Amino acid sequence: MKLILLGAPGAGKGTQAEIISEKYNIPTISTGNIIRAALKNGTEMGLKAKAYIDSGRLVPDDVVIGIIKERLAADDCQNGFILDGFPRTIPQAEALDDMGIAIDAALSIEVSDREIVKRMSGRRVCEKCGASYHIEFKKPSKEGVCDACGGALVIRKDDEPDTVLDRLDIYHKQTEPLKNYYSAQGKLITAQGQQKVEDTTKLVLAALSEI
Ligand code: AP5
C-alpha cells in the first residue's frame, strides 16, 4: 500500500501512521521527523530548515522534495509506505506524480481547529527517537520517559500556542487544497479523527479497507 496521510497539525497523523505501519508492515516516512533529526545532527539541511520549523512555517518545497526522492528510493519502500506530512503543497504533490509514484489513497484525518489547539498543549515527544505521547490521551508507562527508547519526553518548540495557530493557518491555506487535488484523482478518503485514539483507528482502518 502506498498511502498519503493528510490532516491538520496534531490531527493524529503520526499516531495513526504508527498503527497502520505495524498492521501493513510498511514504513512510515515523516518529513517532520526527518527534518528534526537533521536539525539535531546539525547537518546543512537541518540548519537551513531550523528557522522554518521553529516558527511553524513550511520548509521550501525543493528541500522537502529532495528528502522524499532520496527516501523513497530505499529498499524498504519497495512494497509500500505511508507518507506522513508529505505532500503539503500542490507543487509537492505534483513532484510526487512526476516521480511516477502511483499512490493508492490519500487519507484525510478530520479534526476541528478547536480540538487541535487543545491537543497540542498536551503533546510530549521523545527527544531521542521522536515518538509522540500525550499527557492525558497517550501516556507513557513512566512519566516523562519514552516507552520505546527510554529518552526524555519534551515539548516541541512549534507546539507553543501562537505557533500552533500559525501552523493551522498555513494548513488551511497551503495544505488543505490537496484534498481537492486527490479528490479529482479519485484517491481521497476521509476518516473523522475527533474521537479517542482507538475509535479513530477503527474509522481509519475501515476507510483503508474500502481501497
Ligand atoms: P510535522 O512533524 O509533520 O508536523 P505536523 O503536520 O504539524 O503534524 P504533527 O506531528 O504536529 O501532528 P500529527 O498529525 O502527526 O499528530 P500526532 O499524532 O503527533 O511537521 C513539522 C514541521 O516540519 C512543519 O511545520 C514544517 O516546518 C516542516 N515540514 C514537515 N513536512 C514538510 C513538508 N512536506 N513541506 C514543508 N515543510 C515541512 O498527535 C498530536 C497529539 O495528539 C499527540 O500528543 C497525540 O498523542 C495526541 N492524539 C493523537 N490522536 C488523538 C486522539 N484521537 N485523541 C486525543 N489525542 C490524540
Side-chain angles (χ1 to χ4, degrees):
M1 177 183 311
K2 296 187 175 112
L3 179 69
I4 289 170
L5 289 184
L6 295 175
K13 301 182 295 295
T15 302
Q16 297 301 327
E18 201 181 313
I19 297 163
I20 302 167
S21 165
E22 205 166 294
K23 184 171 165 64
Y24 288 87
N25 198 21
I26 47 175
T28 299
I29 299 164
S30 157
T31 37
N33 282 349
I34 294 173
I35 298 167
R36 278 186 291 276
L39 216 152
K40 198 170 146 205
N41 295 330
T43 68
E44 198 187 326
M45 186 270 280
L47 294 173
K48 263 195 219 160
K50 183 173 169 38
Y52 293 97
I53 203 161
D54 282 354
S55 63
R57 284 174 299 145
L58 294 183
V59 172
D61 286 338
D62 58 330
V63 175
V64 190
I65 291 165
I67 293 173
I68 284 292
K69 252 189 197 154
E70 196 181 311
R71 183 63 187 87
L72 291 183
D75 285 349
D76 67 335
C77 292
Q78 302 321 307
N79 289 330
F81 49 77
I82 304 161
L83 290 177
D84 166 10
F86 183 95
R88 250 187 166 90
T89 62
I90 299 283
Q92 290 181 17
E94 288 169 346
L96 195 61
D97 289 345
D98 291 346
M99 286 176 219
I101 289 166
I103 62 139
D104 295 298
L107 170 67
S108 176
I109 302 178
E110 303 284 331
V111 179
S112 70
D113 287 7
R114 182 198 276 234
E115 177 68 23
I116 295 286
V117 173
K118 222 166 73 185
R119 266 187 207 174
M120 299 302 243
S121 60
R123 173 160 61 182
R124 299 293 180 269
V125 292
C126 174
E127 63 176 1
K128 216 160 137 195
C129 74
S132 176
Y133 298 86
H134 194 282
I135 52 171
E136 197 181 333
F137 308 122
K138 193 185 172 198
K139 296 180 184 177
S141 313
K142 191 173 167 207
E143 199 184 321
V145 180
C146 177
D147 290 344
C149 75
L153 301 185
V154 297
I155 299 176
R156 250 168 64 172
K157 199 166 185 325
D158 59 347
D159 280 351
E160 302 287 341
D162 282 350
T163 312
V164 169
L165 293 179
D166 290 343
R167 287 165 67 199
L168 275 171
D169 189 46
I170 290 170
Y171 167 74
H172 290 303
K173 286 187 180 135
Q174 298 198 51
T175 307
E176 210 167 14
L178 289 174
K179 288 202 260 177
N180 282 340
Y181 184 90
Y182 287 111
S183 176
Q185 294 186 1
K187 303 238 166 110
L188 182 73
I189 53 176
T190 57
Q192 288 302 318
Q194 199 83 7
Q195 306 305 320
K196 287 193 294 194
V197 174
E198 313 79 81
D199 296 336
T200 300
T201 301
K202 280 186 198 146
L203 297 174
V204 162
L205 295 180
L208 292 180
S209 70
E210 305 280 313
I211 300 174

